[in-house]
Amino acid sequence: MGLSPAGGGAITTVMVVCLGVFGPVTPLLARRIGLDRTLLAGLLVIAAGVAVRGLGGAPLLYLGSALAATAIAVMNVSMPGVVKQHFPDRVNLMTGVYVSCVVAGAALSSALVIPIEHGTGFSWRGVTALLAVPALLAALLWLPQALRRPEAAANGPRPFGAVLRSRVTWYVTALMGLQSLTFYVMLAWLPTIFLEAGLPADQAGYLLSLTNLVQVGTSLAVPVLAGRRASQVPYVVGACLLTVLGYLGVLLAPHDAAMGVDDRAGRRPGAPRSRWPC
């Protein structure tokens, strides 16, 4: 689409802004229509956003991304409440299950978009539209649950002022803000880093997929293990150290960090180039 690097990065920026703005709205929506119906609404909106971003030029790309991010914000806030509401005795296990499924879905889509593009002959617009299908299938699966009478929440919301006066609130806010910063930088630019290092587009997609795939096991295990400890600090510190080591590897030796791929693993002569916008 001829976007500049700043224009390409702005796609992710728009999404993150929507995550921050619309996340706090979710509890109000959930109290009005129920958590299950809020989650259904999120699935429908994300399908619409994914479809819209492939319809036209840059304005629709940004609009669709904003819609998708709004839905993601709503679902990110809804899912912990859904788990606590329906599985109050297995919160840690079911949290690990749903986070692992989210991560696995992200890994699968990152790995398959370029092969689907090459296999179907679709442009990036067509492949983008296909990514709305899983959201629609999930909405169809969730529809019977959403149509049931909403259940009353087990615990009412804590006063907002009390939450803000807690030091732990600000520690967690700072940690989550920094890890979100690093995550979205990698999400937006890791494929470009590998492309500029000489890897073909499909391998860059596989490597982005790998960064998500390795999270499946930890997402499933860590909530269960951490729930058995009085403090989660060791897990947080360990995650931060691993993140720093990974970034250093990508910075200092992107080919070696990319599963041992060297300069000879560049784009094959005659291999099709990706037609993705940025």
Side-chain angles (χ1 to χ4, degrees):
M1 296 188 67
L3 295 176
S4 66
I11 299 173
T12 307
T13 301
V14 167
M15 298 188 72
V16 177
V17 169
C18 290
L19 289 173
V21 170
F22 292 101
V25 177
T26 305
L28 302 176
L29 185 62
R31 284 199 292 271
R32 187 173 184 84
I33 66 173
L35 276 170
D36 292 337
R37 294 176 185 178
T38 299
L39 192 61
L40 177 65
L43 290 168
L44 295 175
V45 172
I46 197 172
V50 168
V52 165
R53 67 182 181 178
L55 291 179
L60 288 179
L61 178 62
Y62 290 118
L63 175 61
S65 298
L67 286 173
T70 299
I72 292 171
V74 169
M75 291 188 287
N76 278 350
V77 177
S78 298
M79 277 305 301
V82 169
V83 169
K84 292 178 181 178
Q85 178 173 287
H86 295 296
F87 305 97
D89 299 325
R90 291 176 288 171
V91 171
N92 294 332
L93 174 61
M94 297 310 297
T95 296
V97 169
Y98 96 75
V99 173
S100 297
C101 290
V102 169
V103 170
L108 187 64
S109 62
S110 299
L112 292 181
V113 285
I114 299 298
I116 290 175
E117 180 191 16
H118 293 164
T120 62
F122 291 167
S123 67
W124 70 267
R125 301 179 192 278
V127 177
T128 295
L130 287 177
L131 294 178
V133 174
L136 291 175
L137 293 176
L140 183 63
L141 181 65
W142 190 248
L143 182 61
Q145 178 66 35
L147 293 179
R148 296 180 182 179
R149 182 184 299 274
E151 298 180 15
N155 298 306
R158 294 184 61 187
F160 193 57
V163 175
L164 293 180
R165 287 192 294 270
S166 171
R167 287 189 302 174
V168 175
T169 296
W170 297 104
Y171 293 155
V172 172
T173 298
L175 174 66
M176 295 300 292
L178 289 172
Q179 70 89 19
S180 293
L181 169 67
T182 59
F183 170 77
Y184 285 106
V185 167
M186 288 293 102
L187 183 66
W189 295 111
L190 192 61
T192 302
I193 291 171
F194 287 132
L195 286 171
E196 292 189 351
L199 297 177
D202 55 351
Q203 290 189 23
Y206 297 150
L207 292 169
L208 179 61
S209 174
L210 180 63
T211 65
N212 287 295
L213 190 62
V214 296
Q215 299 175 52
V216 174
T218 54
S219 297
L220 186 60
V222 169
V224 177
L225 297 175
R228 298 173 181 172
R229 298 177 64 97
S231 172
Q232 286 76 46
V233 171
Y235 294 97
V236 175
V237 172
C240 292
L241 291 176
L242 289 173
T243 300
V244 170
L245 290 175
Y247 289 167
L248 288 174
V250 172
L251 175 66
L252 300 176
H255 280 93
D256 294 334
M259 300 194 304
V261 180
D262 61 20
D263 287 333
R264 292 170 294 177
R267 189 169 65 90
R268 300 181 303 278
R273 296 186 64 86
S274 172
R275 298 186 295 277
W276 289 77
C278 61

